[in-house]
Amino acid sequence: MYSKEHQTYLKNIKRTNYLVLFFQLFIILFFIILWQFAADHELINTFISSSPKMVVKTLVSLHQANNLYQHIGITIWETFLSFSLGTLLGVIIATILWYKPFLSRVCDPYLTILNSLPKVALGPIIIIWAGAGMKSIIFMALLISVIITIINVYQGFMDTDPGKIRLLKSMKATKSQIYFHLILPNSFGTIISALKINVSMSLIGVIMGEFLVSKSGIGYLIMYGSQVFNLNLVITGVFILCIVAALMYYSVLYLEKFLLKNKK
Amino acid sequence: MKPILSIDHLKKIYHTKRGEILAVDDFSYDLQKEQFVSIVGPSGCGKSTILSILCNLDQKSDGEISYDKNIRIGYMLQQDSLFEWLTILDNCLLGLKIEHGLNEESKQYVISLLEKYGLKEFIHSYPSNLSGGMRQRVALVRTLATKPDILLLDEPFSALDYQSRLAVSDDVFRIIKNEKKSAIMVTHDISEAISCSDTVIVLSSRPCKIKSIYPIELTDKKTPIENRKCKEFAKYYDKIWKDLDFHV
């Protein structure tokens, strides 16, 4: 049994946690109610700003039309593909750059330029090269996620404690032994945080790609909605996207926890 | 007696964009078996360079280093450099894994070392659970795991606070004597050098040259902590201090 002071201390922590949760819920509920209220009393034009009820209606009709899940599924699948490919390729390329410092110096300005270039500008070229389909979308998302992965992971590799490298060298380790015994496990944290960045980057890429080319997916729903001036559809699309993004982010977070637990 | 390691007119020049720096000039010394030698010198004089060259981390510019090809050299650094993601045992097995010498026998040897030096209950712990002094002891066991004949110690205690430093230097000394190893230790701590070693080499400032060599003869020589109480201790301390010619 804890002392009285400690019990109050624990109680306080709990109370703060509840308070935070309360305000988090309060904000979203307040926003939705205000929005609906403004729509009901014609304070806003529902044609251009929709309303919570209309969003629900659109969701239901999408559900009945039976292609809601197909759209969501396609977006998730595309994101998953570009996310895994981007991470894998990024780590592989970062590894090559670490193995060959000369190559890394040569590539440095190109990586910097590619990183700062808004990849959407390459959209038209990608469509022409890869065709107006899923390939283009994945290519676009991959382009966005892979560059940032290379840069982050390479940086992680280079930040390895030189003392540890010296230690392995004094044991006469080869370069690949240094990589597998030290560099890779040491950069585990960096790679995990690259995953977190990557999942959002891939989603951005996928939605951008869907804006440009696709015939399905959440990005397509939003784009289609805006073209036919159906703002209900646009806002519903954004709403679904919020949920999908959150789900994917939290799955990576969960994956991180899982991997870290297995690590130790 | 034939020395276990002989260094003959060793010279090291560092090349940088701005020019070249003569770090070590004409360093010669013969290390005998089971001898414990300390090298002291002003900071940045190039003491550590000598050790780096001895274990092939750095290339010498000139001179000869000769030792029997069966002689193995182990290197212990200032930082313990333990891998946080490996258990104490796995950390100690690292050298064996690198040289593909890991088998049941060598593993048992490492476990016996860990047990012998008071780390038994931590074999499956991670480095973050250990104190600085214990970590340094693990680092020594890691160095001993590949059964080196000569240990190179590069300021092995300087990352520790004073109390642990005394305790750990005692430990390390005991372990090295126990395992009958020869050792070269680089340090900037005069009392540490006198209390641990059979011989102290004093170097001049850069480029480092041998200024003087003191065979340490203490009456009633025991462990490093005890040695500090010997009556000759102060005399050696004074001599080396004067040699180092330290000005604030």
Side-chain angles (χ1 to χ4, degrees), chain B:
Chain B
M1 203 164 83
K2 191 175 174 283
I4 190 168
L5 167 80
S6 83
I7 306 167
D8 197 27
H9 300 291
L10 180 71
K11 189 176 182 178
K12 173 67 187 175
I13 300 169
Y14 279 115
H15 300 278
T16 67
K17 255 187 195 168
R18 286 193 189 156
E20 46 181 25
I21 301 160
L22 182 60
V24 180
D25 192 15
D26 199 23
F27 182 92
S28 304
Y29 191 75
D30 286 348
L31 182 74
Q32 303 296 334
K33 198 164 173 359
E34 288 183 46
Q35 192 187 11
F36 197 125
V37 175
S38 286
I39 302 178
V40 293
S43 50
C45 76
K47 306 177 289 247
S48 302
T49 307
I50 297 170
L51 295 194
S52 303
I53 293 170
L54 287 179
C55 62
N56 281 322
L57 284 174
D58 234 332
Q59 303 300 316
K60 60 178 192 280
S61 306
D62 200 14
E64 247 355 282
I65 295 169
S66 51
Y67 49 87
D68 202 84
K69 62 175 179 297
N70 300 322
I71 293 290
R72 304 171 56 100
I73 294 181
Y75 185 46
M76 183 170 164
L77 300 94
Q78 183 175 347
Q79 254 70 40
D80 54 59
S81 293
L82 295 179
F83 291 8
E84 302 296 337
W85 58 90
L86 295 180
T87 61
I88 297 306
L89 179 60
D90 283 334
N91 263 296
C92 293
L93 294 177
L94 202 59
L96 289 167
K97 275 184 199 157
I98 298 282
E99 56 172 44
H100 305 291
L102 182 62
N103 51 40
E104 200 44 46
E105 190 196 333
S106 57
K107 189 177 171 181
Q108 284 310 321
Y109 171 67
V110 172
I111 293 175
S112 73
L113 282 178
L114 285 168
E115 284 174 351
K116 201 150 116 198
Y117 300 119
L119 294 158
K120 187 179 180 182
E121 50 188 314
F122 297 102
I123 281 183
H124 299 294
S125 309
Y126 288 89
S128 53
N129 300 329
L130 269 63
S131 69
M134 282 157 93
R135 292 173 64 115
Q136 209 52 284
R137 242 186 296 161
V138 174
L140 180 65
V141 172
R142 181 183 56 195
T143 313
L144 291 173
T146 50
K147 300 192 176 173
D149 305 278
I150 304 171
L151 287 170
L152 305 177
L153 312 169
D154 192 352
E155 309 217 8
F157 316 120
S158 57
L160 302 171
D161 62 86
Y162 190 69
Q163 314 284 332
S164 347
R165 190 174 176 145
L166 287 179
V168 175
S169 63
D170 235 35
D171 278 349
V172 167
F173 176 84
R174 185 168 51 95
I175 296 170
I176 288 174
K177 288 292 165 195
N178 237 344
E179 306 293 325
K180 299 197 186 317
K181 307 291 183 195
S182 320
I184 303 178
M185 176 169 81
V186 158
T187 178
H188 58 254
D189 187 327
I190 302 172
S191 36
E192 197 168 272
I194 302 170
S195 63
C196 291
S197 6
D198 305 312
T199 303
V200 176
I201 301 175
V202 184
L203 298 178
S204 64
S205 58
R206 183 167 270 177
C208 73
K209 280 184 178 174
I210 295 181
K211 201 162 187 177
S212 38
I213 297 179
Y214 295 103
I216 304 293
E217 280 149 14
L218 302 172
T219 43
D220 200 21
K221 194 162 179 162
K222 281 186 204 137
T223 66
I225 291 179
E226 295 291 320
N227 287 348
R228 288 170 194 250
K229 295 173 195 153
C230 292
K231 58 177 189 287
E232 295 90 347
F233 187 85
K235 183 188 80 186
Y236 283 120
Y237 193 99
D238 206 42
K239 275 188 186 168
I240 294 173
W241 171 254
K242 276 183 184 139
D243 275 352
L244 284 173
D245 197 22
F246 185 72
H247 296 291
V248 181

Side-chain angles (χ1 to χ4, degrees), chain A residues 169-227:
Chain A
K169 277 187 179 163
S170 81
M171 295 171 169
K172 303 198 168 58
T174 61
K175 197 144 191 181
S176 15
Q177 282 180 324
I178 293 178
Y179 179 78
F180 286 108
H181 281 109
L182 172 61
I183 304 291
L184 199 58
N186 189 55
S187 310
F188 188 72
T190 320
I191 294 174
I192 293 282
S193 60
L195 289 183
K196 278 194 280 193
I197 300 172
N198 254 355
V199 74
S200 351
M201 286 295 161
S202 303
L203 190 59
I204 293 173
V206 164
I207 298 300
M208 260 165 32
E210 286 178 350
F211 276 5
L212 290 173
V213 292
S214 77
K215 294 165 193 70
S216 53
I218 303 169
Y220 163 79
L221 276 187
I222 295 172
M223 203 56 182
Y224 174 75
S226 84
Q227 278 163 358

